[in-house]
Amino acid sequence: MFRTLLVLATVVFFVCEAKAQTVDSLRPYRHNTHHREITLLIGYDQGRYGNAEVGLAANIFGTAHHPYAMAAFIGGEVRVDRTTLIGPKVGIWLAGGVAMGAQAIYYTDGHERSFVLRPEYGFGFHKFKVTYGYNFRITNKDLQGINSHLLNLTYCFRLARLKGDDDRKQ
């Protein structure tokens, strides 16, 4: 009796699983979205030292069966507890669940300067990302107050919709 119930439960389980694995082309996805925006990028980096960042970004994001996002930005970061250490920067990032990007930063405290390249890897969705970054110091490796490892949290607030945005009023 137990074996019969076990076999029956197994068959029912596999039939239900097989039904769940229908081909995507049988049901076309009708919820594609595409957005193009100019955004205000706001972020925070935390390593040994905390940095606030602000910038202007061009974002393209949406959903086409899976979410996607791309951004290019220009901005700057400033160390929270030592506001004389600033870093103008440019960067890009891509996201679709997994996020990756790169930034070029020119740190200065008014007297010393250091050029840094920062690759990032983490997760992101539309205009939001959380990444781990590592600063590769290209020049002046002795400038104090720059994180080596950091965790970054970023969100982009819409300032304007661009041509090609699904929600833009024509």
Side-chain angles (χ1 to χ4, degrees), residues 112-160:
E112 295 185 71
R113 294 160 182 80
S114 181
F115 181 68
V116 171
L117 293 177
R118 178 190 299 161
E120 299 178 315
Y121 184 77
F123 68 90
F125 180 77
H126 288 182
K127 299 187 286 184
F128 169 78
K129 73 178 173 97
V130 175
T131 56
Y132 162 79
Y134 183 82
N135 285 331
F136 289 100
R137 295 183 190 201
I138 307 302
T139 61
N140 192 1
K141 298 179 183 189
D142 298 326
L143 180 60
Q144 297 297 313
I146 300 174
N147 292 316
S148 293
H149 306 270
L150 56 97
L151 186 66
N152 172 272
L153 175 68
T154 302
Y155 188 79
C156 297
F157 295 92
R158 178 180 55 237
L159 297 175

Side-chain angles (χ1 to χ4, degrees), residues 11-165:
V11 169
V12 168
F13 174 76
F14 284 118
V15 167
C16 290
E17 285 297 310
K19 187 176 180 181
Q21 299 299 320
T22 58
V23 181
D24 288 342
S25 61
L26 293 177
R27 285 179 265 117
Y29 191 73
R30 292 184 176 88
H31 301 289
N32 293 343
T33 62
H34 181 76
H35 301 281
R36 295 174 43 129
E37 299 177 346
I38 297 296
T39 57
L40 176 66
L41 180 137
I42 302 292
Y44 184 76
D45 304 330
Q46 183 62 56
R48 177 178 287 174
Y49 313 104
N51 293 313
E53 67 178 296
V54 65
L56 194 62
N59 286 71
I60 299 172
F61 65 95
T63 306
H65 191 70
H66 294 287
Y68 64 89
M70 297 170 272
F73 63 92
I74 186 166
E77 63 182 54
V78 61
R79 198 167 124 187
V80 176
D81 64 338
R82 180 178 156 198
T83 57
T84 57
L85 183 62
I86 60 170
K89 62 186 186 176
V90 296
I92 59 169
W93 56 278
L94 305 169
V98 173
M100 60 187 100
Q103 298 181 25
I105 309 165
Y106 190 72
Y107 286 105
T108 182
D109 64 359
H111 304 290
E112 295 185 71
R113 294 160 182 80
S114 181
F115 181 68
V116 171
L117 293 177
R118 178 190 299 161
E120 299 178 315
Y121 184 77
F123 68 90
F125 180 77
H126 288 182
K127 299 187 286 184
F128 169 78
K129 73 178 173 97
V130 175
T131 56
Y132 162 79
Y134 183 82
N135 285 331
F136 289 100
R137 295 183 190 201
I138 307 302
T139 61
N140 192 1
K141 298 179 183 189
D142 298 326
L143 180 60
Q144 297 297 313
I146 300 174
N147 292 316
S148 293
H149 306 270
L150 56 97
L151 186 66
N152 172 272
L153 175 68
T154 302
Y155 188 79
C156 297
F157 295 92
R158 178 180 55 237
L159 297 175
R161 289 190 165 118
L162 299 175
K163 186 175 183 179
D165 189 300

